[in-house]
Each structure stands twice: as structure tokens, then as C-alpha cells.
Amino acid sequence: MTEPLPQVRLKNAWHSTHPWIFQRLVEKPAQRPKPGSIVEVVGVDGVFMGRGFYNGHSRIALRMLENDPDVAVDAGWFLRKIAEAVRLRREFLQLDAVSNAWRVFHSEGDGISGLVIDRYDDLLVVGFFSAGAWRHREWIFNALRELFPGCRFHSFADEHVQKQESFDYKDTLGTQPAIIREYGIQFRADPAGAHKTGFFADQRENREWLSHQCTGKRVLDLCCNTGGFAVYAAARGAADVVGIDIDPAVIDIAKDNAHLNHVKPRFVQADIFPWLREAAAKGDLYDVVILDPAKMTRDREQVITALKKYLDMNKLALATVKPGGLFATFSCTGLVSEEQFLDMLRRAAFYAGRTVQVLKVAGAGADHPWLAQVPESRYLKAVFCRVLD
């Protein structure tokens, strides 16, 4: 017989379909389950509401998983959820025809809060962003072994997540990189190196679209990281490509990625702020300018500060775009909304004295799905513009 799950009761009536329920709405159970334990959730009236991860140490007390009282959340349930996510990518989106690198599982968007899995050829990178996903990691790894026979694993949990969610986990060490391809272009994905997921697969469709606007053009890729946009542009026939990043480790990987594709963009290790000021002073202009900085903040109290940083860098970047040229600007800060980001761009254009014509607003690829009731999963903003004057 399976032991009954610990029961957690809500303090108030709850009618939302959002999977997060915060501590202030939950009664403290007499016996505290360990962080990430699966519990049965009942309403203030004692009526069954569902099953989910419980964490008495986190601001998010409950992460709901299943609302059918006849369905157990066990190893089989995890296998079915992950298999369903894989079918979406392979059968519906047919991503294998495009790339051997795609997001396998996107947290709430695929039904398990705090679980992120990326595929890089035979290497699966598993990120734990909740104590629940971490506590049930063996079920997750076993499901992945069944769905991706012969796969390798790299797993990690960010320090701030471990602190917030109250668990301890060491990243996998010594993982060998994988060589991936997308739209015929190759990259080295190195999760044990400069970035923990190894490569930003979320920008795949944005790289492909923008690269076809770069043929014969002069291209500037700011915050280029491992060279995704720069290598695409060079491979699609750009006349001249410059990539700038402050991190020497990612610049080395970017150079390797260029070598893989037999192209020769120039990569420069520099802080973009003084570099852009110097470029503007020299009148150095580009046909296509890309600005894709790292996440600015994880703290809601710092969103205004983050928007000021976006404003400063976008204003400087706009000064390097030729009249009639293209400007692609991105934000992966989930706490910054699309509306806030577009308003920032409007102000940056005003301060730079440029007229910006928005051609397209996009986000992450379809392998990063999000539920309508969970907008937090929609983190990437992409805006493609012409700079008219």
C-alpha cells in the first residue's frame, strides 16, 4: 500500500488556475514535509484541490501539479509529463529537422514547476529551479534515460535558487561539450564552461530570421556571448561582422564557433559602454546592430534600475546604426514586461534622436511554451526595428 500523502490546507478560498500558491494563503502543517515533498492540497472547506510540491521555506509554498484525485503524482506521472513535452517538440514542432538542440521541458509551460531541460545532441542539461524538481530528480533522470537512450547528463541548480528553495546541490563537473547544429550552422555547447545551459537555444528562430537580413551588410553584435548572432550573420554572407562581449571566456568559445563554420567575424573583449561611446565619437556606423544583454535582475525591487540600464545601452547602440539600418534588441529579464521594454525603447530612441520603426516583436522559440495563466514563463522579448533617420 502506498502511504497517504501529507495534507496541506489553504486558509482562504482559492479559484485561480495559476500553479503557484504563496505562504500567506497556506496553513502551516503540524508536521512539516521536507522542501519539495509532494502533498495533497485541500481547500479551506477540506475539499480536495490537487497535488503539488510543498515548501515551507519558500515564498511559493505550493507548486500545483495535478488536480485529478484519481491520478497519482509518481514516477509514471513524471515520465508521462516529460514524454508529452518531447512529443510536442518532435511530432508537432518537428524540431529534429531543424536542430539537434532544443528545450525539452519548460517548467510551468510543460507542467512541472521549476524543471528546465535542454537537449544538445546526446547531452541533456537539467536545471532545478524548485526544491520539488530537485527532490524528484531520479524520477526525472530515469524518464530521460527512457526517452533519450544513451544520453549524457549535465545538471545544475543556481545558488540563489538553492537559497530561496532551501536545498543543496552541486553542479555536474567535467561535462564534455557537445557539437550542435541549427539551420545548418554548428556551435559548441559547453554547459560546464561559460554558461550553465551551454548555449541559448531560445534565440534559434530569431537568429535565423535576422541572419537573412545581413547578406552583404556590416554587422555589430553587442553582448555577443558565444557568438550566436555573429556566426549566423557571417555564415549568411555578411560583409563584415564584429562581436563585443566583456567576458573573455565566452569570446574564446565564440571564436571556436566561428572556426567550426569556417567564417571569420572579429570578436573583441570589451565593455560595451565605453566601446559604443568611442564608436559613436568616430562616426562608426553599422547596417545591422544586435543588442542581447544578460539578465539584468531577479529582484522585483530592482526592475526600475534594470530598465535604466536597458535605456542607457539601447540609446548608445542606436547611435551606431546607419540611417535605414536594422536594430535588434532583446531582454531575457522575465520581470521586465514586453510593455515596459517597448516603452524603454521608445525613450531610448527619443534620447538618441532616432526614429525607430518596429517591424516585428517576438520571443523565444515554440519549444519554450507558456501557459496563458502563467505569464512568468514568457521571459524573452525580441524587438526588430528599422532606424529611419
Side-chain angles (χ1 to χ4, degrees):
M1 288 287 291
T2 305
E3 287 188 20
L5 294 173
Q7 191 177 89
V8 174
R9 183 185 291 262
L10 302 189
K11 290 179 180 177
N12 307 99
W14 180 255
H15 303 292
S16 174
T17 56
H18 196 293
W20 298 351
I21 303 178
F22 293 91
Q23 287 288 356
R24 66 182 182 275
L25 302 172
V26 176
E27 288 187 3
K28 291 181 180 178
Q31 290 186 321
R32 294 275 190 101
K34 292 179 179 178
S37 296
I38 296 169
V39 300
E40 188 167 289
V41 182
V42 298
V44 66
D45 53 3
V47 174
F48 175 88
M49 292 188 63
R51 298 184 176 95
F53 297 141
Y54 174 75
N55 192 339
H57 298 272
S58 171
R59 193 169 65 95
I60 303 170
L62 291 164
R63 296 173 184 263
M64 301 300 289
L65 301 170
E66 178 60 61
N67 58 16
D68 187 336
D70 297 323
V71 176
V73 179
D74 54 14
W77 184 92
F78 273 75
L79 173 59
R80 292 192 300 274
K81 276 288 178 187
I82 297 171
E84 184 181 335
V86 173
R87 277 195 298 274
L88 168 67
R89 277 74 174 172
R90 286 198 150 141
E91 296 176 17
F92 188 79
L93 300 177
Q94 298 188 7
L95 285 174
D96 282 333
V98 170
S99 178
N100 61 353
W102 31 269
R103 177 145 292 183
V104 173
F105 204 93
H106 189 54
S107 195
E108 288 84 4
D110 286 301
I112 302 177
S113 182
L115 175 63
V116 172
I117 306 167
D118 287 307
R119 176 202 173 196
Y120 302 107
D121 192 29
D122 68 326
L123 176 61
L124 297 180
V125 178
V126 183
F128 301 113
F129 292 88
S130 70
W134 166 78
R135 183 163 293 280
H136 300 91
R137 60 194 178 279
E138 286 310 313
W139 289 354
I140 293 163
F141 290 138
N142 288 339
L144 291 170
R145 288 185 186 101
E146 186 167 333
L147 295 165
F148 296 90
C151 68
R152 299 183 289 136
F153 290 116
H154 178 89
S155 58
F156 71 94
D158 288 342
E159 284 185 16
H160 78 280
V161 171
Q162 295 186 47
K163 185 176 179 180
Q164 289 172 354
E165 291 282 309
S166 192
F167 68 92
D168 294 309
Y169 190 69
K170 285 186 166 44
D171 297 359
T172 309
L173 298 176
T175 308
Q176 292 300 303
I179 302 299
I180 62 100
R181 56 165 179 80
E182 53 178 50
Y183 291 108
I185 298 173
Q186 296 186 95
F187 295 96
R188 180 171 70 119
D190 185 10
H195 188 271
K196 285 181 179 175
T197 63
F199 186 70
F200 292 112
D202 54 0
Q203 291 278 29
R204 179 181 55 250
E205 313 308 331
N206 296 326
R207 283 189 287 265
E208 170 66 1
W209 186 86
L210 187 62
S211 69
H212 290 284
Q213 322 307 318
C214 294
T215 305
K217 303 289 178 61
R218 192 164 187 239
V219 178
L220 174 61
D221 184 7
L222 299 164
C223 306
C224 66
N225 199 265
T226 57
F229 283 102
V231 169
Y232 257 81
R236 298 284 188 253
D240 179 48
V241 183
V242 180
I244 312 292
D245 203 284
I246 198 168
D247 185 344
V250 298
I251 289 290
D252 288 342
I253 297 174
K255 290 176 179 176
D256 287 344
N257 285 334
H259 182 73
L260 269 177
N261 293 278
H262 310 291
V263 294
K264 295 182 178 179
R266 290 178 289 124
F267 290 106
V268 178
Q269 189 266 316
D271 183 328
I272 66 165
F273 286 96
W275 193 94
L276 284 169
R277 290 188 187 99
E278 186 178 340
K282 293 189 298 187
D284 199 7
L285 301 178
Y286 294 81
D287 301 295
V288 180
V289 175
I290 301 141
L291 176 59
D292 185 18
K295 183 184 290 188
M296 291 291 179
T297 186
R298 298 183 178 93
D299 184 349
R300 290 185 185 278
E301 303 300 317
Q302 295 299 315
V303 168
I304 299 303
T305 301
L307 285 166
K308 288 178 180 176
K309 290 179 183 175
Y310 279 123
L311 177 65
D312 290 344
M313 62 176 62
N314 276 265
K315 179 180 68 174
L316 288 170
L318 280 165
T320 63
V321 185
K322 285 183 181 177
L326 282 174
F327 179 51
T329 182
F330 303 89
S331 165
C332 62
T333 306
L335 293 173
V336 170
S337 70
E338 183 179 287
E339 183 181 8
Q340 288 173 312
F341 191 63
L342 288 169
D343 182 63
M344 175 283 303
L345 178 61
R346 175 189 63 79
R347 290 184 292 120
F350 173 78
Y351 290 124
R354 310 301 299 270
T355 302
V356 167
Q357 179 187 46
V358 175
L359 304 179
K360 176 177 167 179
V361 178
D367 49 335
H368 294 65
W370 52 282
L371 299 178
Q373 70 268 34
V374 193
E376 293 87 349
S377 297
R378 185 176 180 244
Y379 64 96
L380 182 65
K381 280 75 61 180
V383 186
F384 300 91
C385 324
R386 282 178 74 222
V387 180
L388 298 182
D389 54 18

